[in-house]
C-alpha cells in the first residue's frame, strides 16, 4: 500500500509522488513521539467554522455503524460454536474499547465545532491532543478509520521531499 500526493494525481507536478504506507505510518509516529519528547510544538491555529469536523464526524459515525456489525458477527460466531466463550469475551471487550474511542473522538470533534472561532488553544492543549493521537495510533485494536481521523485532527498536511529524503509535518489546532 502507498500514499500518493493529491497534487500529482491532479497533474499539478511531476516526479516522485508516493510513499509506502509503512514508511508514512512510521514517520507519523516518530514525529508525534519527537514532539511529545520535546514538550513543545509549532502549530498553526486554523479558525474553525461551525461546520468544521462534520466530515470526520460522519466518518466516525460510519465506523460506529461497523462496530455494531462486528458486535453482531462475534455474537453469531459464539452462538454458532465457532468461538469459545473466552474468545467471545475478548472480542466483545476489544469492540467495546473501539466504540468508546470512537465516541470520545466524536465528542472531541463536536466540542471543537462548538467552540468559538477565536479560541486559540494553548501549546499544552495541543500537546495533550498529540499525546491522545499517539496513544490511539499505538493501539493495534483501534481501527484505521479512527486512526486516520485522529491524525487529520492535528496534522494539516505532510510534505515528502523525495530528493532530500525528508518528511515534514504541519500541525494545527
Amino acid at each position: 500500500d502507498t500514499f500518493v500526493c493529491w497534487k500529482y494525481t491532479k497533474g499539478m507536478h511531476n516526479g516522485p509522488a508516493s510513499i509506502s504506507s509503512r514508511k508514512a505510518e512510521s514517520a507519523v509516529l516518530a514525529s508525534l513521539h519527537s514532539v511529545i519528547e520535546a514538550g513543545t510544538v509549532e502549530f498553526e491555529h486554523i479558525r474553525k467554522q461551525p461546520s468544521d469536523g462534520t466530515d470526520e464526524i460522519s466518518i466516525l459515525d460510519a465506523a460506529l455503524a461497523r462496530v455494531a456489525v462486528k458486535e453482531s458477527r462475534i455474537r453469531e460466531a459464539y452462538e454458532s460454536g465457532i468461538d469459545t466463550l473466552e474468545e467471545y469475551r475478548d472480542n466483545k471487550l476489544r469492540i467495546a474499547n473501539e466504540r468508546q474511542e470512537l465516541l470520545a473522538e466524536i465528542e472531541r470533534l463536536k466540542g471543537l465545532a462548538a467552540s468559538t472561532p477565536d479560541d486559540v488553544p494553548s501549546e499544552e492543549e495541543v500537546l495533550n491532543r498529540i499525546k491522545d493521537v499517539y496513544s490511539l495510533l499505538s493501539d493495534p485494536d483501534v481501527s484505521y478509520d479512527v486512526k486516520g481521523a485522529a491524525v487529520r485532527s492535528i496534522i494539516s498536511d505532510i510534505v515528502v521531499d523525495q530528493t532530500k529524503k525528508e518528511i515534514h509535518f504541519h500541525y494545527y489546532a
Side-chain angles (χ1 to χ4, degrees):
D1 292 341
T2 60
F3 292 106
V4 178
C5 175
W6 69 271
K7 287 183 179 181
Y8 177 79
T9 60
K10 300 284 186 192
M12 298 169 82
H13 75 77
N14 297 325
S18 66
I19 184 172
S20 76
S21 58
R22 187 177 49 78
K23 284 182 183 176
E25 290 167 5
S26 295
V28 168
L29 281 170
S31 178
L32 295 173
H33 183 72
S34 68
V35 166
I36 292 166
E37 288 294 308
T40 185
V41 62
E42 285 186 33
F43 67 94
E44 176 187 4
H45 175 62
I46 298 177
R47 293 174 186 260
K48 303 254 183 228
Q49 299 300 317
S51 63
D52 276 3
T54 54
D55 290 340
E56 290 177 38
I57 290 172
S58 21
I59 290 168
L60 294 174
D61 282 338
L64 268 177
R66 286 192 297 278
V67 165
V69 171
K70 287 180 189 177
E71 287 172 330
S72 171
R73 287 183 179 156
I74 65 162
R75 187 173 30 259
E76 288 173 11
Y78 171 68
E79 290 172 353
S80 301
I82 296 168
D83 284 351
T84 66
L85 180 59
E86 184 177 320
E87 289 170 324
Y88 174 65
R89 192 176 312 127
D90 291 346
N91 287 332
K92 190 172 179 177
L93 179 62
R94 179 180 50 79
I95 291 171
N97 287 337
E98 186 176 343
R99 176 186 296 281
Q100 284 307 110
E101 289 163 354
L102 285 166
L103 290 171
E105 184 65 12
I106 288 170
E107 286 307 308
R108 191 186 71 72
L109 288 171
K110 285 181 179 177
L112 285 177
S115 68
T116 60
D118 296 326
D119 288 346
V120 179
S122 68
E123 184 178 37
E124 182 180 354
E125 289 175 80
V126 176
L127 285 168
N128 285 334
R129 290 180 195 170
I130 289 170
K131 288 175 187 174
D132 291 343
V133 170
Y134 185 80
S135 294
L136 280 175
L137 296 181
S138 301
D139 187 340
D141 292 331
V142 175
S143 73
Y144 281 108
D145 289 337
V146 174
K147 289 179 180 183
V151 168
R152 286 187 298 277
S153 75
I154 60 166
I155 296 177
S156 60
D157 62 17
I158 300 170
V159 178
V160 179
D161 186 334
Q162 296 281 11
T163 57
K164 293 182 181 177
K165 304 276 189 224
E166 294 176 349
I167 302 175
H168 304 280
F169 298 88
H170 298 132
Y171 291 90
Y172 78 99

